[in-house]
Amino acid sequence: MAWSAGVTSAVVLGVAGVGAWVYQDLDGNIRSADVDDKIGGDRPVNLSPGSKNILVVGSDSRDGANAKYGKDLTTMQSDTLMVLHVPANRKWATVVSFPRDSWVGIPACDKGDGSTSSPHHFKINEAFAIGGTSGEVAGAAACSIKTVEANTGLRIDNFMSVDFQGFKGMVDALDGIEVCPEQAIHSKKARLDLEPGCQTVRGEQALGYVRVRYGVGDGSDISRIGRQQEFMNALTEKAQSKLTSPNSLYGFLRSATKSLTTDPDLAGIRPLYSLASELKGIPSDRLTFLTVPNYPREADVATDKANVVWQYPQATELFTALAKDKEVDKKRLDAEAKNPLYASAVRVQVLNGTSVQGLAGTVAEKLRTAGVTVTGTGNAPENTGATTISYPAGLDKQAKALAARLPGVRATPASDATAGVVTLVVGKDLDIGRIR
């Protein structure tokens, strides 16, 4: 399972019936980080009271014992980023993974050293590093939360950060986890050498297995996400099998809680127990694992062979469903994402429907940054309060993909629309900062 489900479920399953001193020991291991004062006030509204969105980060800070895992890295790092959505009725749950190479807008963040970063586009995992410049998890988590909220429209209610060293301790306390690679894995970066076939991995090998990327499968971050999910599912199952072994379970829980940093609302055995009690009743077929629909950014920017971009309108439809607390149909989402519509295939003319000078050019530049092909800019025949998107016959997919990048804007067909392009008329209501 995901980092969140793996950690919280194991903690909950093991706490019942332990002595007071064990409880205090485990409870005291969990670190708390308050992020509220670092996120700011411009945040999405929770559209479904009672539901929860929990941001889960696999953190590989390169300080102390983690220093050997990277070179020339002076800030906190994150290779795993996901959101666990728990609905108000607690009858299903969805885990959404964000590829670390997702090319997204990173908002201005407090760096923790007295300075603030400038808004820009980069890999989504850079947010954790920017906010963690001073080495504090609170700042790192806050910048990640701001970034996820800005790019998804989801309100993040809680966060968890799991560290490298604690992960190894969790695996070792369970006497290792069985994996079955179909091909040999030899990676210096991940410090891993495995032959094909089923085998038990521990310590450094286990860590390398969930971190390895290059030289396995297609070498993408997407395949690594799948491997991580499979591993955590196996880890959770083995933790459950150790319920009758106090020593193994205590070692597992001790490592799990020592590696865990959360927001104040989740910082303790009791709140984690409460959360996982809600999760454990969810049937396995109603627990859905998804990856944000994406494609290589190279399709839009020929020189970028290192990143992926999210696929629209599918990404927006996914986030909107979760924001409204609706269960996502994974099969349908996967089917619609098989043939991505590249942003560069969306041709749009941008017209200024306000009295603000240069607004069409500003919006056009935002769209170009997103990979959209802007054919031209100009002024609309008259001013308008509402932003509109119109399109001629045959361009409905392109128009919907554009609308998905502009929260609150819908696309409508028009018989008099300019042939061959989608027309965007910018009104007074458009929040330029929320263009995706």
Side-chain angles (χ1 to χ4, degrees), residues 11-12 15-16 18 22-30 253 257 266-275:
V11 168
V12 168
V15 166
V18 301
V22 174
Y23 176 93
Q24 293 174 356
D25 179 37
L26 298 177
D27 193 65
N29 287 339
I30 302 171
L253 291 170
T257 52
L266 284 182
I269 294 297
R270 289 188 183 278
L272 289 176
Y273 182 96
S274 177
L275 172 62

Side-chain angles (χ1 to χ4, degrees), residues 303-321:
T303 56
D304 187 351
K305 302 181 186 301
N307 299 299
V308 299
V309 290
W310 294 350
Q311 182 178 336
Y312 291 93
Q314 287 80 10
T316 295
E317 290 171 353
L318 166 61
F319 303 140
T320 299

